[in-house]
Amino acid sequence: MRPAISIFAIIIFSTIITSCSKDEEKLSFPLHTRFISLENQEAIRVFTKSGEITDPAVVKRFTSGSEYFGTSYSPLDKSGIITFQTDSTALLGASSQFYRASKTDGRITLSSDFAITDASSNYPIGGFLDLYRLWKNAEPVEKTPLGLGQTLYKGKYLIVLYGDYSSFKLPALSFKIKRTMSTSTVPPAVNIQNGVAFNEFNAEYLNTLRENDTVAVQQSWLRFKK
């Protein structure tokens, strides 16, 4: 049996909340929403440059040892709570940091700016900037050369909650990415990333796969209610 994963133990990002609908004007704050159920979990999918791997034995072999696939998640502590302190501020899990978000019809978009300085010639292969492209809800990265081989990358990570303040679905994407960084060594040098992001799968990421690269994803949907 796969172990349960604490909801916000892996990735937490800044957020923003603005307007509210007429129905939500009657809500009282602070408003606590709690993870109540795993509403849906899709099958594990594995891809290479050649396409999707459908052999169950190969899928199992590639994802074995990773605790992030087939998880039931854990609503047992504060990590399973999103608290809207007001209609314009929120806390995720047990974090003491306030977040902001923006609300449109049927969704609340949580956002976080990031800035990373990187001298790697492999960008966007490997590391956070590669992982960033795996996510559907993301904005383009702004690239600014700093000199001396350094580059500043700035972007915004987005988490989309489907619903309203009192009831919504949170996407959770389990992933494992294996990138072959060099074939000049024996065995070849590889970069492997495992985890869960509160986002959705961006199928365009598959266009970046090279020979000997492999990616596995599993989309889940977590129901939160006040």
Side-chain angles (χ1 to χ4, degrees):
M1 178 181 296
R2 299 286 187 183
I5 300 297
S6 187
I7 296 300
F8 294 112
I10 303 169
I11 303 178
I12 296 178
F13 293 92
S14 303
T15 59
I16 291 188
I17 308 171
T18 49
S19 62
C20 59
S21 67
K22 291 183 178 179
D23 291 339
E24 292 171 341
E25 289 175 357
K26 299 178 181 179
L27 295 175
S28 59
F29 296 92
L31 190 154
H32 305 283
T33 61
R34 181 180 295 276
F35 168 57
I36 62 168
S37 66
L38 176 60
E39 191 160 294
N40 183 44
Q41 188 170 75
E42 300 175 9
I44 301 173
R45 304 182 69 185
V46 175
F47 302 89
T48 66
K49 181 180 179 180
S50 301
E52 184 168 6
I53 296 175
T54 57
D55 185 337
V58 177
V59 172
K60 182 177 181 180
R61 183 165 61 250
F62 182 71
T63 58
S64 64
S66 174
E67 62 182 321
Y68 304 110
F69 294 95
T71 179
S72 60
Y73 295 89
S74 173
L76 301 180
D77 55 34
K78 284 188 175 182
S79 66
I81 296 176
I82 297 177
T83 300
F84 297 97
Q85 294 292 99
T86 69
D87 63 353
S88 61
T89 56
L91 293 169
L92 275 67
S95 171
S96 60
Q97 179 181 351
F98 284 91
Y99 301 87
R100 300 179 302 177
S102 60
K103 187 177 184 305
T104 56
D105 292 340
R107 64 178 63 187
I108 301 171
T109 301
L110 313 181
S111 65
S112 174
D113 297 329
F114 69 83
I116 297 176
T117 301
D118 192 358
S120 173
S121 61
N122 288 319
Y123 173 76
I125 305 301
F128 172 77
L129 294 171
D130 184 29
L131 176 60
Y132 182 78
R133 299 189 303 171
L134 181 68
W135 302 326
K136 177 180 177 181
N137 301 317
E139 294 189 352
V141 174
E142 177 183 333
K143 181 179 177 180
T144 305
L146 299 178
L148 300 178
Q150 296 288 318
T151 301
L152 175 65
Y153 299 97
K154 297 174 67 176
K156 183 176 291 185
Y157 181 83
L158 305 177
I159 303 173
V160 179
L161 311 177
Y162 294 90
D164 53 39
Y165 292 119
S166 59
S167 179
F168 55 83
K169 290 193 300 182
L170 170 70
L173 182 67
S174 302
F175 61 87
K176 179 179 180 180
I177 303 171
K178 187 194 79 170
R179 289 285 200 176
T180 300
M181 309 302 290
S182 172
T183 58
S184 62
T185 60
V186 181
V190 299
N191 175 279
I192 296 178
Q193 298 189 80
N194 291 272
V196 176
F198 303 118
N199 215 303
E200 300 169 62
F201 174 50
N202 177 21
E204 293 185 2
Y205 181 82
L206 302 178
N207 296 327
T208 72
L209 297 181
R210 307 175 301 180
E211 292 295 334
N212 301 314
D213 289 346
T214 308
V215 57
V217 294
Q218 183 179 38
Q219 188 72 62
S220 300
W221 295 92
L222 315 180
R223 172 61 63 177
F224 280 69
K225 286 188 176 181
K226 67 175 182 177

